Amino acid sequence: MEEKQTIIAISREFGSGGHEIAEQIAKDLKLNFYDRNMLDEIAKEKNIQIGYLEKYEEKPTNLLFSRRVGAYSNSIEEIVAEMQFEYLQKKADTGESFVVVGRCAETVLKECEGLISIFILGDMETKLKRIQEHYHLTRQEAKIKLKQHDRKRKQYHNRHSDSEWGSSKTYDLCINDSKLGIEKTVHILEQYIKERML
């Protein structure tokens, strides 16, 4: 019996621990994991400096300086986004199962039967504490960084998606990992994913 393709698309609020959760799920379920690392392959394939791609990766489009004619855009942010969407679609088309963080994957891969989309959120205090510890910031600095990152993520997502970032209608499952912590949240999500994989 052929193994069913499973693609787990995880979106997250900044500071929620969503990236860590996604990595652990990929490790536990022995699935390939895609985040910024996909830029290495794209850069190699397109013969582009990786630093150039990273500069514009998952950034909202500057509408003032961008112009689109049909399917073509002169916006670097749009071009880098499209490269990543194309990369994910190619991976999905091969039948590969994987975990992907961000990159509007729940929209880009919505036609894939085995897609499971998850949104990770958290309580403000828990997120601020995590950001403060991780980046060695004051509470006020952490608050500013959180707002900036989430604003950019929302703009990026809503630009490239037909659904609202963070809205429960967009995802199969939304979960606040502040309630149980990362480890128990991973366990619950894996139980859900395994049921869906049957």
Side-chain angles (χ1 to χ4, degrees), residues 11 17 24 33 49 51 54 73 79 82 95 98 107 114 122 125 129 147-149 151 154 160 196:
S11 296
Q24 192 60 51
F33 178 69
Q49 288 287 330
E54 286 177 335
S73 172
I79 292 167
E82 291 296 335
F98 56 88
T107 296
E125 288 306 315
K129 186 179 177 185
K147 286 182 179 178
Q148 287 175 340
H149 276 263
R151 185 178 69 249
K154 185 174 184 177
H160 298 287
R196 289 281 302 274

Side-chain angles (χ1 to χ4, degrees), residues 73-192:
S73 172
N74 70 342
S75 163
I76 305 298
E77 295 90 350
E78 296 256 335
I79 292 167
V80 172
E82 291 296 335
M83 284 180 180
Q84 292 183 86
F85 301 157
E86 184 183 316
Y87 177 90
L88 289 173
Q89 191 62 64
K90 281 181 180 176
K91 290 291 181 184
D93 289 345
T94 66
E96 178 186 327
S97 291
F98 56 88
V99 177
V100 57
V101 175
R103 283 88 196 155
C104 300
E106 79 292 328
T107 296
V108 175
L109 305 176
K110 65 182 178 181
E111 300 303 322
C112 297
E113 191 179 331
L115 176 68
I116 300 171
S117 59
I118 298 167
F119 189 84
I120 311 291
L121 59 145
D123 293 343
M124 181 61 75
E125 288 306 315
T126 306
K127 290 187 295 183
L128 287 175
K129 186 179 177 185
R130 188 176 284 131
I131 294 166
Q132 281 180 264
E133 290 174 356
H134 186 79
Y135 294 98
H136 309 291
L137 301 174
T138 65
R139 178 183 167 81
Q140 186 57 31
E141 288 170 337
K143 192 178 282 189
I144 292 168
K145 191 173 183 68
L146 184 152
K147 286 182 179 178
Q148 287 175 340
H149 276 263
D150 276 352
R151 185 178 69 249
K152 286 178 183 177
R153 282 180 182 172
K154 185 174 184 177
Q155 288 173 345
Y156 172 86
H157 181 277
N158 293 352
R159 169 74 175 171
H160 298 287
S161 180
D162 53 6
S163 57
E164 187 75 19
W165 182 80
S167 167
S168 60
K169 294 178 182 178
T170 302
Y171 311 91
D172 296 322
L173 189 65
C174 295
I175 188 165
N176 183 334
D177 70 342
S178 298
K179 305 304 180 187
L180 295 174
I182 287 177
E183 192 177 327
K184 287 183 179 178
T185 300
V186 166
H187 177 71
I188 287 169
L189 290 176
E190 286 178 354
Q191 293 288 97
Y192 176 79

